[in-house]
Amino acid sequence: EMSEMSERSKQNVAHGLAWSYYIGYLKIVLPRLKKSMEEFSRANPNMLVCRETWKLHILVPLSCDIYDDLEKADSNIQYLTDLTETTLTRAGTKKRVYKHSLYAIKDEVNKLWHCAVEYATPLQSLYAMSQDECAAFSREDRLEQAKLFYRTLEEILKGSKECTGTYRLIAYEESGEAETHFLSREILWHLQQQRHEEYAVYESNQLNNPSTTLSSTELNLQISESDLPQPLRSDCF
């Protein structure tokens, strides 16, 4: 009876998707990411200058609206290359390939920032369910499940020792207005914050003073219990 109630209220959808995403993908690729970043940095020493950004930046749009091509989502995001592939035999598939794409993000003064970035792919399933009559999944259900997916994934990753320091969750809710470079500005904000964090740690080590830079926990999106999530930040470029 409890299982049926949970299924009717869609409570198990996002929870299952988050765990599947972690077990079947992130737990596999994230521990190998630093090595790939190091290899790329040795070959291209002028690109990945900030080690604090040597992470997989995972986009979590609460609308679940995902572009397959990031360059089409925002012209200030340019595909650069792929990092070293990881090849494993998984679930009967020989030599399954896992890889991440590196992008150049152009800021307002045309400076290029480089990072590995991709969408959280399970959100595509939530979006597809809201478009399929058989799923009986409304737009409101989708929004609530997207919030729950983010909260669940955040808690899972926080408890994962293997994934510590290898990811950055970028959750956001797009405004109703059409903004050409909304996504690139969102990514840039996180990249700049990470650079500030690294610089603050360096200064702290040099001067032996506590850093006043906001922690990554404070910078995370705070999901409200109400229907509307809290704003990601109060500043703008």
Side-chain angles (χ1 to χ4, degrees):
E1 183 178 349
M2 290 297 296
S3 177
E4 290 178 359
M5 290 174 61
S6 178
E7 289 177 10
R8 284 197 297 269
S9 62
K10 315 289 193 308
Q11 291 176 359
N12 56 348
V13 176
H15 187 266
L17 285 174
W19 272 103
S20 178
Y21 184 48
Y22 169 69
I23 295 294
Y25 180 63
L26 294 181
K27 191 176 181 180
I28 297 169
V29 301
L30 289 181
R32 297 170 170 83
L33 184 66
K34 290 286 187 182
K35 181 180 178 181
S36 295
M37 288 288 194
E38 288 172 359
E39 291 175 356
F40 182 86
S41 182
R42 283 196 297 269
N44 305 272
N46 296 323
M47 288 189 180
L48 298 175
V49 294
C50 178
R51 294 185 68 91
E52 187 64 26
T53 63
W54 291 13
K55 301 173 182 176
L56 181 61
H57 296 78
I58 303 171
L59 303 176
V60 185
L62 297 183
S63 67
C64 299
D65 192 6
I66 290 177
Y67 286 82
D68 289 325
D69 190 340
L70 281 171
E71 293 173 304
K72 291 182 179 179
D74 190 323
S75 60
N76 279 350
I77 303 175
Q78 303 164 13
Y79 168 76
L80 190 62
T81 187
D82 291 329
L83 296 176
T84 305
E85 297 177 350
T86 295
T87 304
L88 300 171
T89 296
R90 294 278 296 176
T93 300
K94 297 288 186 180
K95 299 180 180 180
R96 177 170 289 180
V97 175
Y98 300 87
K99 67 179 180 180
H100 308 290
S101 294
L102 197 68
Y103 287 88
I105 316 296
K106 185 168 62 175
D107 66 15
E108 57 187 2
V109 294
N110 293 324
K111 176 184 175 181
L112 295 179
W113 300 63
H114 302 93
C115 68
V117 58
E118 61 189 51
Y119 284 104
T121 52
L123 295 179
Q124 287 183 313
S125 297
L126 287 178
Y127 188 86
M129 287 177 67
S130 69
Q131 303 299 307
D132 194 318
E133 293 181 2
C134 296
F137 203 73
S138 69
R139 184 181 180 278
E140 291 72 22
D141 290 331
R142 186 181 73 201
L143 177 59
E144 288 305 314
Q145 290 301 307
K147 295 182 201 176
L148 180 57
F149 172 85
Y150 171 78
R151 287 199 299 265
T152 305
L153 183 61
E154 183 182 43
E155 288 303 313
I156 293 171
L157 288 171
K158 280 182 179 179
S160 173
K161 294 181 180 179
E162 304 99 316
C163 299
T164 300
T166 62
Y167 67 92
R168 179 91 170 191
L169 294 180
I170 304 179
Y172 59 90
E173 184 170 26
E174 295 172 300
S175 65
E177 301 176 1
E179 297 183 51
T180 307
H181 301 302
F182 172 85
L183 186 56
S184 60
R185 288 200 301 269
E186 202 67 45
I187 297 171
L188 283 167
W189 185 82
H190 282 268
L191 293 176
Q192 290 167 346
Q193 288 300 318
Q194 289 172 91
R195 173 166 285 190
H196 293 161
E197 290 164 13
E198 181 173 86
Y199 183 72
V201 170
Y202 174 78
E203 277 197 328
S204 178
N205 291 337
Q206 294 295 314
L207 303 176
N208 199 28
N209 289 327
S211 171
T212 57
T213 303
L214 292 174
S215 68
S216 59
T217 301
E218 291 174 301
L219 294 171
N220 280 341
L221 171 67
Q222 298 299 310
I223 299 295
S224 170
E225 294 300 322
S226 66
D227 289 337
L228 295 176
Q230 296 297 315
L232 290 166
R233 62 179 190 272
S234 58
D235 67 325
C236 61
F237 290 93

